Amino acid sequence: MDKKLLKICNLESKVEEEKILNGINLEVNKGELHIIMGPNGAGKSTLANVLMGHPEHKITNGDIEFEGENINQLAVDKRAKKGIFLSFQYPQEIPGVTVENFLRTAKTAVSGEQQSIFDFKFLLEEKMNLLNIDQSYADRYLNKGFSGGEKKKNEILQMAVLEPKLAILDETDSGLDVDATKTVAEGIKKVASEDNAMIIITHHNKILDYLKPDYVHVLVDGRIAKSGNMELAEEIEREGFAKYKKEVLDESNSKSNC
Amino acid sequence: MNDKTEVNDIDRSLHEEKNVEKHRYQSAKGLTPEVIKEISREKDEPEWMLKFRLKALKIYKNKEVPTWGADISDLDMDNIITYVRPDADLQSDWDQVPEEIKDTFDALGIPEAEKESLAGVGAQYDSEVVYHNLKEEMVEQGVIYMDMENAVKQHEDLVKQHFMKLITPNDHKFSALHGAVWSGGSFVYVPAGVDVNIPLQSYFRQNAPGSGQFEHTLIILEEGANAHFIEGCSAPKYSVNNLHAGAVELFINKGAKLRYSTIENWSRNMYNLNTKRALVEEDGVIEWVSGSFGSKVSMLYPMSILKGARARAEFTGVTFAAEGQYLDTGAQVIHDAPDTTSTVNSRSIAKDGGHAYYRGLLKATKNAHGAKASVSCESLMLDNESKSDTLPIMKLQTDDIDVGHEAKVGRISEEAVFYLMSRGISEEEAKAMIVRGFVEPIASELPLEYAVELNNLINLELEGTIG
Ligand SMILES: Nc1ncnc2c1ncn2[C@@H]1O[C@H](COP(=O)(O)OP(=O)(O)O)[C@@H](O)[C@H]1O
Ligand SMILES: [Mg+2]
């Protein structure tokens, strides 16, 4: 089986005429866990949004390949159907639409199989138990009146139900207390397998107490300034991002690598 | 969102099969006393009704077309043939209804609807009721449900006592026109204490080019009576502008309760200038459920007059304005007695350049001490071409009233659409989901069949598919 999942080549993007991504290179294979760290405003959420196909972000250069296919022009819902999932930094509230109805519709769309009400209830119940989410949340309106932490847990619940091949988790650990961080991290671990991959965007190290990444990347000023392993995360915790702001591009990130 | 899906209009073909015109009688274009006399003679009406019509015609001629609200300058009043009698006599046996008319009704599903839970069907073809039926047990309890023409003759006193007393020809130009040329409609009388536990349903439609529709609905609920009336509308589409100026008068006596539900889905060349009013006595209840989907222009402001102590009004409405539509709707409530209560809950949606205008009135006289009123009107625009306004007017002549008020106008959020699409949901389904969620507080108040119908209409509007 081909392990290749995502290949990003020299990706540049702009939003409202402002250039944000500045030549991103990244490869993600099945079974891998990647961490992206970086200061506020570096472009981490932008990268996540561009990968998902956000309409406000325009790709001005470079390529995104998913399972060997260029998806630069692919519509958002089609990307989701291919197995890309984004856990949002700020999930939207959708009044009047219950978590259960929404997720059943989403599961039907993503899997291409009609979800029976009964079977889906069972599936959702199981995943909610896994994440310590009270069953009553199934009947609540999507994210409406949820606390920050509840929204994040709900994102992970959606990931657990939809079972994507590539999950991008944007600041999933921020706003969570110690217990919630642990629950979410354990949820992530349970979903992670040899057949999928995860990119976790964070600027805390808390979640790294529970998850062992294969790669750690530092994203500064719209590009990946350095890639490494767990030691890089530890170094950043000690020293911050200051030295990467001006640092020359890491060799592994030169265009020739694409 | 790179390969954008077209969000199409509802496919109306099912509702727009026109029959070859076949009329026994058609009045001359333009309105003269002679035309009115002809109409009245043809209907074989009592003298007082003819006099009433002629008086209304005079008022009509002297009244100006309203200049606020919708632009109705396209409407050629002289060109509206006000009376078109179908080539069919009043029938209560489905088998005897002429085939071509039946085909149209079949397409609208009327006999199906009857088979289900309806107490009676009064289906109006053009200006007259051609099919009428009321379940026997209702008749035994003294319930009357018949077409207005026959009610004028068979229940003359009841009709004379109530007819156009709540909506008078003096109210505005179109109520005057209605008084002069009204034709068809339903009459419902429910005696004291009787609970009509199955909804009465009526279909009004018009089928002749240029013809107006002026049906009159008169419902009287005696003390402690209970009923639900459903008005359904759908008209075939013609190139000539069509006018609908009906009148609905609802008399709700002490402790009685009426639910009046409408889902209007007129074809998109219709001027829907309908007037609806309810008079509610002590402890009485009026519940309006109103869905406005069709027509080119609508001006529709159902009014509840809470005349008796503790009378209550509830209004639940959804308006959906798509391309080329201007829908000006809203609830009017007048609190004129102590401890009266009202709840108005309205949602409007505008897309593809449609314009939804919410124009509501909440009025409390100095009699209304201890009254309670709450108004919530929200509107949602699905794109940048569409327009939405809300104008909830309040006129309070007492301080001793508890008023809650909320008005919101918003555009569909691109971020919300992106969020839903990121879960594999298509753009049009994402929008439909947001719209359904937006009207959910209203849909959840509706009886199940009605909520389903509302959902179906929203899906049709947003997905451009039928059946
Ligand atoms: N939709 C948008 N419109 C305008 N500017 C944006 C938008 N999204 C992101 N940006 C800008 O792009 C830069 C990177 O933002 P973001 O990707 O959210 O950073 P991070 O997630 O790393 O904190 C910031 O300067 C931000 O203001
Ligand atoms: Mg961010």
Side-chain angles (χ1 to χ4, degrees), chain B residues 13 125 131 135 143 193 262 292 365 370 404 424:
Chain B
S13 55
Y125 188 78
Y131 180 78
K135 294 242 164 81
V143 175
T262 316
S292 297
T365 67

Side-chain angles (χ1 to χ4, degrees), chain B residues 29-100:
Chain B
K29 289 186 177 188
L31 281 181
T32 60
E34 282 60 51
V35 173
I36 302 299
K37 281 179 198 158
E38 265 177 67
I39 292 174
S40 186
R41 194 179 323 124
E42 182 76 11
K43 288 182 187 294
D44 194 19
E45 285 175 347
E47 186 66 17
W48 66 268
M49 185 55 85
L50 173 61
K51 281 192 176 145
F52 184 92
R53 287 182 186 276
L54 291 170
K55 200 181 89 194
L57 178 68
K58 223 178 241 168
I59 298 169
Y60 168 71
K61 295 278 183 194
N62 291 324
K63 274 212 190 290
E64 299 294 322
V65 172
T67 50
W68 54 275
D71 173 11
I72 47 178
S73 52
D74 263 7
L75 189 59
D76 179 1
M77 300 292 295
D78 280 341
N79 212 7
I80 287 164
I81 303 165
T82 53
Y83 183 64
V84 184
R85 190 188 165 102
D87 196 8
D89 289 316
L90 195 61
Q91 314 258 350
S92 64
D93 182 353
W94 185 252
D95 289 340
Q96 286 162 29
V97 176
E99 216 52 46
E100 56 188 21

Side-chain angles (χ1 to χ4, degrees), chain A residues 139-157:
Chain A
D139 296 323
R140 287 187 55 181
Y141 293 154
L142 185 54
N143 294 322
K144 183 80 188 154
F146 285 23
S147 71
E150 287 168 338
K151 284 180 183 167
K152 294 300 171 65
K153 267 196 186 179
N154 192 263
E155 295 290 285
I156 300 304
L157 173 67

Side-chain angles (χ1 to χ4, degrees), chain B residues 114-182:
Chain B
E114 194 204 20
K115 272 178 229 151
E116 282 152 26
S117 67
L118 302 172
V121 170
Q124 180 171 340
Y125 188 78
D126 288 340
S127 306
E128 271 190 35
V129 175
V130 293
Y131 180 78
H132 222 223
N133 190 9
L134 178 63
K135 294 242 164 81
E136 268 167 40
E137 68 238 60
M138 291 299 141
V139 179
E140 275 165 27
Q141 290 179 78
V143 175
I144 304 167
Y145 177 36
M146 58 168 57
D147 65 284
M148 261 323 276
E149 268 83 3
N150 276 317
V152 171
K153 291 177 234 171
Q154 293 175 27
H155 302 280
E156 194 174 343
D157 290 344
L158 262 179
V159 172
K160 201 170 173 181
Q161 225 180 315
H162 296 90
F163 182 83
M164 291 206 81
K165 291 291 194 298
L166 206 45
I167 299 166
T168 75
N170 272 311
D171 291 348
H172 52 77
K173 188 154 181 95
F174 295 100
S175 67
L177 177 65
H178 177 88
V181 302
W182 76 269

Side-chain angles (χ1 to χ4, degrees), chain A residues 49 54 72-78 80-81 85-86 88 92 95-97 102 105-106 109-110 141 143 155 158, chain B residues 1-3 413-416 418-427 429 433-434 436-438 440-441 444:
Chain A
N49 279 321
H54 194 291
N72 281 24
Q73 296 300 320
L74 201 64
V76 181
D77 54 325
K78 305 251 167 67
K81 285 179 184 168
F85 178 90
L86 171 57
F88 284 70
Q92 291 285 310
V97 178
F102 157 69
T105 309
V110 162
Y141 293 154
N143 294 322
E155 295 290 285
Q158 294 176 36
Chain B
M1 255 179 257
N2 290 318
D3 53 354
S413 146
E414 285 286 331
E415 286 300 323
F418 174 61
Y419 183 61
L420 296 181
M421 287 181 76
S422 79
R423 303 310 188 231
I425 296 166
S426 70
E427 183 175 357
E429 173 56 17
M433 219 173 195
I434 291 167
R436 279 197 301 267
F438 174 71
E440 163 64 21
S444 61

